Amino acid sequence: SQQGEEDPQALSIQEGENATMNCSYKTSINNLQWYRQNSGRGLVHLILIRSNEREKHSGRLRVTLDTSKKSSSLLITASRAADTASYFCATPSYTLQGAQKLVFGQGTRLTINP
Amino acid sequence: SQTIHQWPATLVQPVGSPLSLECTVEGTSNPNLYWYRQAAGRGLQLLFYSVGIGQISSEVPQNLSASRPQDRQFILSSKKLLLSDSGFYLCAWSAEAGGHNEQFFGPGTRLTVL
């Protein structure tokens, strides 16, 4: 079942502007992760934020987590053309056998215009 | 350092033909392994996961099967491909680490069934 849902589905901005993507989820989690996917490539892990953290930074990335609203946001500051990609949030879930898995949202397709 | 390989990178197969996609991981032991399928412009759907040799769990009923003959080898197979099997197949691995399982993805295989 779908856990994370990103918003917006697509975002197009000018280079140098900030890009904000949002993710909502349904059940309690112990962490939330953001991934990036360049067209036709595999996903690359960007950042993990734990449920007891409200905000986390990594370079030009800033992630927030609001467990009361079951939502997270990814902010990319001073965007560059190379940031053009799809961005996915992922939340942990458990299989019937008790193994942990990640459930991915549908993604936000970000386009940075030069 | 750990690396994950997938091959082939692209594949065009006729309906009814067999399929074998291979994924191998280097630099880690006893990883959790995953097969995902991604339809064009969509999120990832978890197909299979494995927590050890010979241990395969399926997330969704389908025309595909998976096997794990060695600790760091994960194979996705089909005896007879359907048109609906077309998509982008991604292999990933993770290490169980206190419940915060970041996943590392391979480059993917684009499968077109004609």
Side-chain angles (χ1 to χ4, degrees):
Chain A
S1 62
Q2 203 65 39
Q3 168 74 313
E5 294 184 5
E6 287 91 344
D7 163 56
Q9 291 187 353
L11 179 62
S12 181
I13 61 173
Q14 294 300 118
E15 194 168 19
E17 295 180 340
N18 296 341
T20 299
M21 291 159 273
N22 303 296
C23 170
S24 60
Y25 58 92
K26 297 175 183 175
T27 61
S28 296
I29 57 173
N30 59 15
N31 72 79
L32 185 143
Q33 303 177 33
W34 284 91
Y35 289 79
R36 165 200 169 115
Q37 183 182 33
N38 284 34
S39 180
R41 309 292 293 274
L43 276 72
V44 175
H45 181 265
L46 293 176
I47 198 165
L48 180 152
I49 186 166
R50 299 171 194 251
S51 58
N52 61 355
E53 298 175 310
R54 291 299 183 95
E55 189 171 308
K56 197 164 184 178
H57 296 255
S58 177
R60 293 184 294 112
L61 304 181
R62 171 179 166 243
V63 169
T64 63
L65 180 64
D66 187 335
T67 54
S68 66
K69 295 181 179 178
K70 292 186 169 56
S71 67
S72 174
S73 67
L74 170 66
L75 168 68
I76 303 174
T77 61
S79 63
R80 305 168 182 169
D83 294 329
T84 294
S86 292
Y87 292 83
F88 296 88
C89 67
T91 51
S93 180
Y94 285 92
T95 68
L96 294 175
Q97 290 73 24
Q100 196 171 76
K101 63 178 183 179
L102 286 178
V103 179
F104 289 82
Q106 294 296 304
T108 292
R109 186 190 301 271
L110 175 65
T111 302
I112 309 298
N113 302 304
Chain B
S1 63
Q2 301 88 4
T3 55
I4 178 169
H5 304 279
Q6 278 187 252
W7 65 92
T10 59
L11 192 59
V12 179
Q13 292 284 102
V15 169
S17 64
L19 173 74
S20 181
L21 303 181
E22 189 160 345
C23 171
T24 58
V25 181
E26 297 176 358
T28 187
S29 296
N30 197 32
N32 294 336
L33 296 172
Y34 309 84
W35 276 112
Y36 292 89
R37 177 167 58 205
Q38 185 179 32
R42 302 294 299 278
L44 280 71
Q45 179 186 38
L46 180 62
L47 302 176
F48 300 96
Y49 65 92
S50 171
V51 299
I53 295 175
Q55 300 179 61
I56 309 294
S57 297
S58 173
E59 282 291 291
V60 293
Q62 58 202 298
N63 182 44
L64 302 168
S65 62
S67 62
R68 185 170 176 174
Q70 300 179 46
D71 181 45
R72 288 168 287 180
Q73 184 184 28
F74 205 22
I75 297 172
L76 184 68
S77 304
S78 173
K79 293 182 179 178
K80 289 185 178 182
L81 283 169
L82 306 172
L83 287 174
S84 58
D85 292 324
S86 293
F88 191 49
Y89 288 84
L90 289 159
C91 180
W93 75 271
S94 73
E96 288 286 342
H100 300 288
N101 61 333
E102 169 188 355
Q103 291 189 10
F104 301 90
F105 285 79
T109 294
R110 183 158 309 280
L111 171 67
T112 303
V113 182
L114 302 175

